């Protein structure tokens, strides 16, 4: 990525929340369901903004990320994709070439014009990154915290399910090398194969996603 583009990215104001205000006594590692603790409400009550370059270096703050998983519940398929391995297309070296089934990004200051900036960010990112027919309504499945990794230590995932009747979805963004709808079994094989690298948040969301898809199955 050109140095000027990196500099502009680092100057952008993004949403952050103090770690103590986010977690309180409810710290966790891994995945936590939304019905246990409403971290979204805590974020909306306590957020502020910080330049991205500073936030990436300050683990006393968490950067909320809307992490949306596109699901066709009838076909039980999920949109999955591989991030580009090329610097010119995808500059975040820590995630280059990795597989993911979460679409999302930082919550920008422009998103606060909406009543719920987290939802606004989710819908904006979906529109920018994926070609998907039909209406998209985010539904929070839970949250991801992964302090053990460099990326995870300064980010906090708000995992949304985006249900769709679309039989196909494809990437719009050059940052994605390939993507399409896949079964949960295919995602499990990608996770298990040494041939592929999968980002940690996608690994952590796999079991909750499986349970979500199974919820309407006959007993």
């Amino acid at each position: 990525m050109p140095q000027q583009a990196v500099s502009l990215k680092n100057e952008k104001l993004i949403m952050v929340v103090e770690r103590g205000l986010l977690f309180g006594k409810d710290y966790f590692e891994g995945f936590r369901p939304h019905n246990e603790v409403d971290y979204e409400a805590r974020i909306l009550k306590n957020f502020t903004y910080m330049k991205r370059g500073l936030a990436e270096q300050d683990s006393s703050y968490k950067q909320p990320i809307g992490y949306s998983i596109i699901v066709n519940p009838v076909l039980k398929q999920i949109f999955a994709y591989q991030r580009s391995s090329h610097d010119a297309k995808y500059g975040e070296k820590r995630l280059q070439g990795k597989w993911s089934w979460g679409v999302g990004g930082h919550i920008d200051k422009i998103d606060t014009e909406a009543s719920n900036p987290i939802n606004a960010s989710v819908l904006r990112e979906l529109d920018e990154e994926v070609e998907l027919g039909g209406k998209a309504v985010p539904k929070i499945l839970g949250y991801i915290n992964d302090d053990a990794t460099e990326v995870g230590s300064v980010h906090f995932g708000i995992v949304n399910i985006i249900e769709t009747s679309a039989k196909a979805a494809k990437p719009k963004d050059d940052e994605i090398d390939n993507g399409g709808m896949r079964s949960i079994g295919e995602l499990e094989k990608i996770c298990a194969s040494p041939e592929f690298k999968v980002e940690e948040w996608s690994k952590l969301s796999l079991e909750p996603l499986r349970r979500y898809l199974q919820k309407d199955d006959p007993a």
Side-chain angles (χ1 to χ4, degrees):
M1 182 179 291
Q3 188 60 41
Q4 184 179 8
V6 173
S7 179
L8 288 172
K9 182 178 74 172
N10 286 336
E11 289 296 307
K12 180 178 285 189
L13 290 173
I14 59 169
M15 179 184 285
V16 297
V17 61
E18 286 186 41
R19 180 181 287 265
L21 295 175
L22 174 62
F23 290 112
K25 297 180 180 179
D26 300 306
Y27 180 81
F28 72 99
E29 276 278 342
F31 177 88
R32 188 158 192 179
H34 177 58
N35 60 12
E36 290 186 1
V37 181
D38 188 353
Y39 292 100
E40 182 193 42
R42 294 184 185 182
I43 293 167
L44 293 174
K45 182 179 178 181
N46 296 294
F47 73 85
T48 185
Y49 285 92
M50 184 183 293
K51 289 182 179 179
R52 181 173 175 178
L54 295 176
E56 290 289 339
Q57 305 299 322
D58 190 349
S59 60
S60 66
Y61 286 85
K62 282 284 193 175
Q63 303 164 45
I65 303 289
Y67 196 71
S68 299
I69 303 175
I70 300 168
V71 174
N72 183 315
V74 176
L75 300 178
K76 298 195 180 299
Q77 290 194 320
I78 306 102
F79 177 70
Y81 63 94
Q82 185 180 22
R83 301 183 192 276
S84 177
S85 299
H86 304 290
D87 287 348
K89 290 185 178 181
Y90 193 79
E92 175 53 86
K93 290 183 179 295
R94 297 172 296 185
L95 297 175
Q96 278 184 353
K98 291 188 175 181
W99 278 86
S100 175
W101 26 97
V103 176
H106 293 89
I107 300 167
D108 296 340
K109 194 160 188 180
I110 191 173
D111 296 317
T112 54
E113 296 174 6
S115 58
N116 185 324
I118 297 173
N119 270 2
S121 172
V122 164
L123 295 174
R124 175 177 55 78
E125 292 282 350
L126 280 172
D127 183 60
E128 290 173 357
E129 296 187 26
V130 183
E131 186 175 316
L132 182 70
K135 189 176 181 181
V137 180
K139 177 182 179 182
I140 296 180
L141 183 65
Y143 307 92
I144 287 176
N145 187 55
D146 176 34
D147 281 332
T149 65
E150 183 184 0
V151 177
S153 65
V154 291
H155 296 93
F156 184 79
I158 304 164
V159 183
N160 285 275
I161 293 292
I162 308 293
E163 289 196 351
T164 179
S165 59
K167 296 179 180 180
K170 58 182 180 180
K172 288 182 179 179
D173 202 310
D174 287 342
E175 292 183 349
I176 299 174
D177 272 349
N178 61 76
M181 301 298 280
R182 297 173 183 268
S183 69
I184 192 78
E186 288 176 290
L187 302 191
E188 290 170 344
K189 288 179 180 178
I190 290 172
C191 273
S193 172
E195 296 180 27
F196 303 112
K197 293 181 179 179
V198 180
E199 69 182 24
E200 195 63 29
W201 282 16
S202 286
K203 292 178 184 177
L204 290 170
S205 66
L206 188 59
E207 181 56 32
L209 178 58
R210 188 203 333 270
R211 292 197 298 268
Y212 183 83
L213 289 172
Q214 291 174 341
K215 73 182 189 322
D216 294 325
D217 283 348

